[in-house]
Amino acid sequence: MMDDSVHSPTRRGTPAPTLNVNFTLNQQPISLEVAPNAVLLDVLREQLGLGGTKKGCDHGQCGACTVHVDGQAMNACLRLAVMCEGQHVTTVEGLAREGELHPVQQSFLACDAFQCGYCTPGQMMSATALLNDARIGSDDAAVKEAMSGNICRCGAYKNILTAIQQARATLADDATRRAGEGTP
Amino acid sequence: MNDLTQSTLAQPKVVGQRTPRIDGEFKLTGRAGYTGELSVEGMLYGYPVAASIAHGTLERLELDEALAMPGVVDIFHHANFPRLHRSPNSMGHGDQVSEVRLPFEDERIYYHGQYVALVVAESFAQARAAAQRVVARYRQETGAISSLLDGAHDSHTEGELLEDSGTTRGDPEAAFAGAAVQIDAVYHIAAESHLQMEMHATLAEWRDDGSRLVVHESSQGVFYQRNAMARIFDLAQENIEVISHYIGSGFGNKLFMWPHAVAAAGAARELGRPLKLVLPRAQDMTGGGNRPASRQRLRLGADRDGRLNAVIHDSTTETSLVDRYVDACGSATPSFYACDNLAVSQRILALNHGTPCPMRAPGEVSGIFALETAMDELAVALAMDPVELRLRNYAHEDPESGLPWSSKQLDKCLHSAAERFGWAQRDPGIGAMRDGDEIIGYGMAACTWFAGRQPCQARVELRADGTLFAACGTQDIGTGTYTIVAQTVAELTGVAVADIEVKLGETSLPTGPLSGGSMATATTLPAVAAAVRDALSALKEVATGHGGVFAGVDADSLTVAEGALSDGERSHSFAEVLEAMRLSSVNGQGSSAPGEEKKQYSFRSFGAHFVEVRVDPSISRVRVARVVSSMDIGRAINPPTARNQVEGGIVMGIGMGLFEKLDYDPRDARLINANVADYIVPVHADIPEIDVELLDYPDFKFNEFGARGVGEIGLTGIAPAISNALYHATGKRYRDLPVTIEALLADHASG
Ligand code: FES
Ligand code: FES
């Protein structure tokens, strides 16, 4: 870039330094050697072959890279991989369990809550996080506000909202049923 | 039971029925492989270095530091990139590209973001880090043109007049001069970014000692890219394969190849290793396509009853210095309203931008903003209801060609949407409708998009395991093409959608169309249907031949239902028929092309949007609160995905109306807001209540499925409906898009 004054020592031929990081990824413990400046999103996509987490901007502006870190929705493009030491990271590949789609995935399919599908993993990760977040109201306006970090350029927003509210109902039913089964 | 293959699809069972996307589970579980997440053995990563100026010369590149960075393999630029050939860039010959100039071709800088080098490294992070250490020295020149809308080019005579892009009928100038009521206004629309969520991406791999090239590209047109690459790399077409299975949408900027793909393939060949290049977002926005800004003058002349007797539509749009792109704003105007005197003209102005390209409803969406805002101005001048004005000028046949419409239900769209919206409750007084502190504005606009078809081929296999396979070299960009192909096969065979495999997006498949112009559905399905019928006739031949399960029976007497052949008494599944002859499968080929129907009818989709805006004058805030639309698109093959297209178009229209603007610095033509936060698009919180109705009038004159296509039309007409609603709320006429909060504030302050 023009007038780039940043200077770094010549390192040709020197191997890139790496750090070791250990965390839980989709319920599996993993141990990795990563570059100190490696971004979680790139490590997932390029090093681990988990392409479900998408890159739409690399700047924390679009939400396509949303994953869960200890249950919180986070932009994987804004996190260094080494920051995940000891944490639980869940990606879209970890949403379905034993081959069965998560209720959010099921409702996205049933409601046609996507078109190209590129923003969709991020939308679903934000949705599953907000459905577990007691601070976020259950009305449409609150959901829309909470989801506004996830851009869908295809504009499938209406169906995404419907899908989230449908998943909320399914999850509530499941919870009621489990509670019912628990009582003698 | 009727033979499904002979039916006219008048009463289909699967086509027209809600069908969950067959690719849905792949997309929802992260298993769909979009180009940027593919990898192959030994793959390198490319990261372009983009010019930081828009006008001048590249004097020098300082590469030593970058070359010494870990993992860096090479850096390509003007002095060392292989000398290639240009593509002939012909639409007719299928080798059109988005920007004909080759990467690194010369050292002139024509626009901000132009590639000046390509860093290649072992990892993405290494390539990016090194690209940031490349130092480029430029000689910047003054005189860059930053925008058609920079204030210096706002006249009817700027730019080059395109003689072959205009049309005239009657004597429009005289008719306008003599009209009892005249509207004469100028409309400006800012340049927009496609901002498709998946950036442009290429994975190029040379095989067989560099004699064959395999390219994965996020593409809306794999055949166009293959043909262009064949010319650029001087290879036989059959030695190039272009693959695009999943596309993070495109909206037009992935129709034709861009220079990044040439840079990737060229570098991969030089280095003898596969190379992946995903454009960073900023470069995707500077050099990966845009909708050019437009300046339009619209003149309408009418009598006191509101009958149009003159329409004059003069447009100027931007192009770049390295290609010629024409965004034909006036292309819908001649067919929109009945009017004997009409003229449309088109100019282009070359400036220092990356080359513009088609963006969803190219040309027409801009032209319809001007026309439908002017119609609202005419309605105000006549004190006439804007719906009534449109009905009064209804074109019962295509006024441009003189041909009858194949099927036009715009009147039903206007009535139905008005009814559902509650248009009758509108108080036409300016600012007359209020809710607390908010002023409510109602606005409407009609909309249209042409219906076209392209030639197409397809292949279908009936397999001994009971499954079916369909293949076509078109793409599914998120519109649902995979699913409607499966529905078509299911319809004609009675086999469940779940047992049908569909393959798209490869140049090794039968030649398929671009995914663009709302043409893919009407183009692809007839070819798929022909291939199904061909496969079924092959199956009947097998069944009735020597040793077949229906040996001796007349093949023509066999009927098809539920995945089986029947002679009226006995029925055998496709699998049994094949099994009996030890066949793995039978194969069918099909092709289709537009035919005589184009000489007999005019084909267009139409629709109507009704919009409620709410303006809070104390903070100059405007929100779209409600959109009610009716669309006449022929038959929707898969209603939920078709409706999703219209809803998505409406969302993009809200962006065009209120938010979207590529901001070029007037001093040096650099793109200021080349990122997803500063280029504003609608997000969840901006989305109003949306009520879309798809009228069901199958257009069998167009094709046997009755589908005209649905990708663009939802976007057309939204921006004028918003600006017309804003006029109703505020009494201010907004002729420039987007209508930003700054524009509202300025008017509020001066008003
Ligand atoms: S890629 Fe992380 S927010 Fe866009
Ligand atoms: S589905 Fe394409 S961006 Fe959301």
Side-chain angles (χ1 to χ4, degrees):
Chain A
M1 306 275 156
M2 192 180 180
D3 297 327
D4 189 340
S5 59
V6 186
H7 183 78
S8 72
T10 297
R11 287 177 295 190
R12 184 167 225 181
T14 54
T18 61
L19 292 174
N20 181 256
V21 59
N22 298 283
F23 59 98
T24 305
L25 178 60
N26 296 333
Q27 301 198 305
Q28 300 290 323
I30 63 163
S31 178
L32 278 180
E33 297 297 320
V34 298
N37 63 350
V39 174
L40 176 60
L41 177 59
D42 295 325
V43 168
L44 290 170
R45 285 170 66 83
E46 304 297 342
Q47 203 168 335
L48 296 170
L50 292 177
T53 306
K54 305 304 186 199
K55 180 183 286 192
C57 68
D58 238 354
H59 283 62
Q61 298 173 332
C62 76
C65 64
T66 308
V67 297
H68 294 174
V69 178
D70 289 342
Q72 301 273 327
M74 301 227 176
N75 290 334
C77 70
L78 295 183
R79 274 185 92 68
L80 297 177
V82 291
M83 293 162 72
C84 297
E85 180 68 37
Q87 292 181 318
H88 288 258
V89 177
T90 306
T91 68
V92 68
E93 287 91 348
L95 268 190
R97 291 285 161 79
E98 283 139 30
E100 183 166 349
L101 295 181
H102 186 280
V104 166
Q105 290 170 309
Q106 287 173 15
S107 63
F108 267 61
L109 187 59
C111 299
D112 203 43
F114 57 97
Q115 293 178 20
C116 76
Y118 199 79
C119 74
T120 313
Q123 303 278 359
M124 294 190 302
M125 298 313 285
S126 288
T128 46
L130 85 83
L131 289 171
N132 280 325
D133 191 334
R135 298 166 304 170
I136 299 171
S138 59
D139 58 300
D140 287 355
V143 173
K144 282 159 77 169
E145 194 64 41
M147 289 296 294
S148 281
N150 288 86
I151 292 172
C152 176
R153 185 56 162 165
C154 294
Y157 293 117
K158 177 180 171 177
N159 292 355
I160 294 171
L161 178 64
T162 309
I164 293 171
Q165 299 297 42
Q166 185 172 309
R168 181 192 304 282
T170 309
L171 288 163
D173 282 354
D174 289 355
T176 315
R177 197 167 336 107
R178 272 199 305 276
E181 282 161 7
T183 49
Chain B
M1 155 133 243
N2 277 339
D3 186 340
L4 285 166
T5 64
Q6 300 306 315
S7 87
T8 59
L9 289 162
Q11 307 255 289
K13 289 183 175 162
V14 190
V15 161
Q17 299 303 313
R18 169 190 191 85
T19 308
R21 292 174 194 253
I22 63 170
D23 53 338
E25 198 166 322
F26 290 98
K27 289 177 172 176
L28 294 167
T29 55
R31 283 183 289 140
Y34 298 79
T35 303
E37 59 225 35
L38 303 177
S39 67
V40 291
E41 187 72 24
M43 184 175 79
L44 295 166
Y45 292 80
Y47 197 101
V49 178
S52 59
I53 66 165
H55 186 45
T57 308
L58 175 65
E59 297 263 87
R60 190 169 84 244
L61 286 169
E62 295 169 12
L63 303 176
D64 290 352
E65 189 185 341
L67 279 167
M69 303 264 293
V72 173
V73 174
D74 208 342
I75 300 178
F76 292 92
H77 47 88
H78 172 65
N80 69 354
F81 190 71
R83 191 184 145 77
L84 302 170
H85 308 269
R86 284 188 170 195
S87 172
N89 200 17
S90 158
M91 191 68 197
H93 289 97
D95 51 27
Q96 173 121 10
V97 294
S98 283
E99 186 170 295
V100 72
R101 180 183 178 275
L102 295 165
F104 321 122
E105 197 178 81
D106 56 44
E107 291 176 300
R108 279 298 294 170
I109 303 297
Y110 303 94
Y111 60 88
H112 175 212
Q114 179 182 320
Y115 309 129
V116 295
L118 177 71
V119 175
V120 180
E122 297 288 345
S123 80
F124 170 78
Q126 290 168 333
R128 177 173 57 185
Q132 286 163 352
R133 300 300 170 92
V134 169
V135 179
R137 302 285 176 197
Y138 304 97
R139 189 161 46 76
Q140 186 167 3
E141 294 169 21
T142 57
I145 304 178
S146 68
S147 169
L148 172 64
L149 312 182
D150 63 1
H153 299 87
D154 196 13
S155 93
H156 309 320
T157 52
E158 281 287 337
E160 173 194 348
L161 179 66
L162 303 176
E163 301 288 354
D164 56 351
S165 290
T167 176
T168 303
R169 61 179 188 248
D171 188 349
E173 294 285 346
F176 177 73
V181 185
Q182 295 177 333
I183 300 295
D184 182 354
V186 176
Y187 304 83
H188 303 101
I189 304 176
E192 288 186 275
S193 178
H194 300 71
L195 213 87
Q196 79 294 345
M197 290 307 298
E198 180 203 22
M199 287 85 77
H200 288 291
T202 309
L203 167 52
E205 184 184 4
W206 293 84
R207 293 192 189 154
D208 304 339
D209 287 333
S211 62
R212 257 169 33 83
L213 172 61
V214 179
V215 181
H216 290 265
E217 178 85 30
S218 183
S219 170
Q220 296 174 250
V222 291
F223 278 93
Y224 278 74
Q225 176 154 353
R226 180 200 67 178
N227 297 349
M229 283 199 140
R231 302 282 68 78
I232 288 167
F233 288 96
D234 195 16
L235 281 175
Q237 283 175 356
E238 46 275 25
N239 288 333
I240 302 181
E241 187 167 347
V242 179
I243 302 169
S244 201
H245 290 154
Y246 292 95
I247 299 119
S249 208
F251 310 118
N253 61 339
K254 293 176 179 171
L255 288 168
F256 310 113
M257 181 174 65
W258 292 94
H260 71 269
V262 179
R269 190 176 69 179
E270 293 304 297
L271 296 171
R273 287 173 67 181
L275 187 145
K276 179 160 80 178
L277 190 166
V278 180
L279 284 187
R281 176 58 72 184
Q283 294 180 15
D284 195 272
M285 294 178 75
T286 48
N290 60 80
R291 187 200 302 282
S294 57
R295 175 195 190 279
Q296 302 176 71
R297 181 187 189 191
L298 219 298
R299 281 173 284 171
L300 301 180
D303 65 19
R304 298 253 168 241
D305 292 332
R307 288 204 171 69
L308 289 168
N309 52 22
V311 175
I312 308 174
H313 190 170
D314 299 308
S315 307
T316 312
T317 54
E318 299 168 332
T319 186
S320 73
L321 297 165
V322 291
D323 209 322
R324 282 166 69 85
Y325 173 71
V326 181
D327 210 46
C329 296
S331 60
T333 307
S335 300
F336 214 123
Y337 292 113
C339 179
D340 293 336
N341 304 293
L342 173 139
V344 165
S345 77
Q346 176 77 41
R347 290 172 173 270
I348 54 172
L349 177 75
L351 38 54
N352 296 87
H353 288 182
T355 307
C357 68
M359 176 168 161
R360 203 173 197 177
E364 294 196 0
V365 67
S366 308
I368 289 169
F369 168 68
L371 179 62
E372 285 297 278
T373 309
M375 285 295 279
D376 201 69
E377 299 188 52
L378 180 60
V380 170
L382 293 161
M384 182 180 289
D385 185 290
V387 177
E388 173 58 26
L389 179 65
R390 281 156 177 93
L391 291 169
R392 215 162 265 203
N393 290 287
Y394 201 79
H396 292 281
E397 58 176 25
D398 184 344
E400 183 64 4
S401 65
L403 294 173
W405 299 111
S406 58
S407 169
K408 176 177 175 178
Q409 319 297 336
L410 174 58
D411 50 347
K412 297 185 187 68
C413 293
L414 287 164
H415 291 307
S416 171
E419 168 82 26
R420 279 160 31 243
F421 183 80
W423 185 252
Q425 281 79 60
R426 170 179 181 259
D427 179 338
I430 301 296
M433 298 171 69
R434 287 182 181 258
D435 180 9
D437 291 338
E438 289 185 324
I439 312 172
I440 295 172
Y442 282 6
M444 60 79 54
C447 63
T448 184
W449 180 254
F450 84 98
R453 284 175 63 184
Q454 299 166 302
C456 180
Q457 296 170 358
R459 188 164 60 80
V460 165
E461 284 172 21
L462 312 181
R463 294 163 166 168
D465 64 1
T467 65
L468 271 61
F469 172 77
C472 177
T474 188
Q475 306 73 212
D476 186 336
I477 57 171
T479 47
T481 310
Y482 279 113
T483 308
I484 60 172
V485 168
Q487 287 176 270
T488 301
V489 176
E491 185 68 51
L492 297 176
T493 58
V495 170
V497 164
D499 291 325
I500 297 165
E501 185 191 337
V502 179
K503 197 162 204 180
L504 307 176
E506 294 186 14
T507 51
S508 60
L509 305 176
T511 311
L514 293 168
S515 299
S518 295
M519 292 191 280
T521 297
T523 295
T524 305
L525 299 195
V528 171
V532 172
R533 294 187 176 113
D534 191 42
L536 287 171
S537 91
L539 187 75
K540 289 178 185 177
E541 196 180 312
V542 166
T544 55
H546 180 69
V549 290
F550 290 110
V553 175
D554 176 14
D556 291 341
S557 71
L558 293 177
T559 58
V560 178
E562 319 268 328
L565 296 181
S566 167
D567 63 0
E569 290 175 5
R570 288 175 303 143
S571 173
H572 288 285
S573 72
F574 299 169
E576 288 166 2
V577 174
L578 294 168
E579 202 56 50
M581 301 299 284
R582 285 190 63 173
L583 297 180
S584 67
S585 61
V586 288
N587 199 29
Q589 319 272 352
S591 65
S592 69
E596 291 299 300
E597 75 277 1
K598 279 167 71 177
K599 296 186 189 138
Q600 294 159 357
Y601 299 99
S602 213
F603 300 95
R604 266 192 178 274
S605 288
F606 288 92
H609 294 296
F610 288 74
V611 165
E612 174 185 322
V613 298
R614 286 173 172 249
V615 180
D616 184 339
S618 62
I619 53 171
S620 286
R621 189 186 71 172
V622 53
R623 293 181 76 82
V624 175
R626 215 153 53 90
V627 179
V628 176
S629 310
S630 290
M631 294 290 136
D632 165 32
I633 57 159
R635 175 187 276 153
I637 304 299
N638 191 6
T641 56
R643 187 172 293 106
N644 204 336
Q645 283 298 305
V646 176
E647 289 165 358
I650 289 169
V651 169
M652 201 174 265
I654 292 171
M656 184 179 195
L658 298 179
F659 306 128
E660 297 188 37
K661 178 183 198 235
L662 284 170
D663 225 338
Y664 295 91
D665 192 321
R667 296 166 302 179
D668 55 18
R670 287 162 46 101
L671 180 58
I672 297 166
N673 60 343
N675 66 76
V676 183
D678 295 321
Y679 181 87
I680 302 169
V681 294
V683 298
H684 280 277
D686 297 308
I687 306 309
E689 270 178 65
I690 300 176
D691 168 12
V692 170
E693 171 193 40
L694 304 177
L695 266 49
D696 187 22
Y697 289 88
D699 190 345
F700 293 123
K701 297 192 175 81
F702 195 41
N703 57 70
E704 63 177 313
F705 294 90
R708 274 200 305 263
V710 68
E712 341 274 322
I713 188 164
L715 172 57
T716 67
I718 284 291
I722 292 172
S723 72
N724 295 342
L726 273 170
Y727 176 81
H728 178 224
T730 65
K732 294 268 166 41
R733 186 55 75 176
Y734 291 95
R735 299 191 184 92
D736 295 352
L737 297 182
V739 183
T740 57
I741 211 160
E742 291 86 344
L744 287 157
L745 266 172
D747 287 332
H748 191 57
S750 67

